[in-house]
Amino acid sequence: MDSGQAFLDLGDIGRAHQLITEGEGLLPPARDKTRGVFLAYRAASYLDLKEPEPAAAAATESLLLARRIGAPRCVQLVDDLLPRFQHYQDAQGVPELLQLAAA
């Protein structure tokens, strides 16, 4: 998953998504905080691609997980993305994410 983040930083989003997805599949439940962080990174990368639907899905999953396990860093990562979702209020999942974040 760290390699995936490195590819995100380099702008190779396709390769980054592949590595992050593979890494998430290997994480045990005890690493849910790490999963939440990388879901937020995935959401950001989808926003970079102007794909708001999968971005909203990843951000929502990250936020729900973060709240369930008490991971304020994950919550903050999603909160930091919220302004970028304002441009996509008609996209599937975005209104629900914004409502969840406001709750």
Side-chain angles (χ1 to χ4, degrees):
M1 288 179 24
D2 291 330
S3 297
Q5 181 58 43
F7 277 102
L8 280 179
D9 294 340
L10 293 171
D12 188 346
I13 296 172
R15 181 77 173 131
H17 282 183
Q18 176 188 356
L19 291 171
I20 290 171
T21 299
E22 289 173 8
E24 285 175 348
L26 298 173
L27 285 175
R31 300 286 311 269
D32 276 349
K33 192 179 295 186
T34 301
R35 183 182 320 280
V37 168
F38 279 95
L39 283 164
Y41 291 164
R42 184 187 308 186
S45 68
Y46 277 123
L47 286 170
D48 290 343
L49 291 172
K50 299 183 181 357
E51 295 184 18
E53 291 86 1
T60 298
E61 186 178 350
S62 177
L63 185 56
L64 289 171
L65 177 62
R67 287 181 176 173
R68 182 175 55 80
I69 64 172
R73 177 178 174 218
C74 296
V75 172
Q76 187 61 53
L77 287 171
V78 174
D79 285 347
D80 291 345
L81 294 175
L82 295 178
R84 296 178 63 189
F85 281 102
Q86 296 300 323
H87 304 287
Y88 302 109
Q89 295 211 19
D90 294 330
Q92 182 179 351
V94 172
E96 294 83 0
L97 169 63
L98 296 175
Q99 184 177 13
L100 176 66

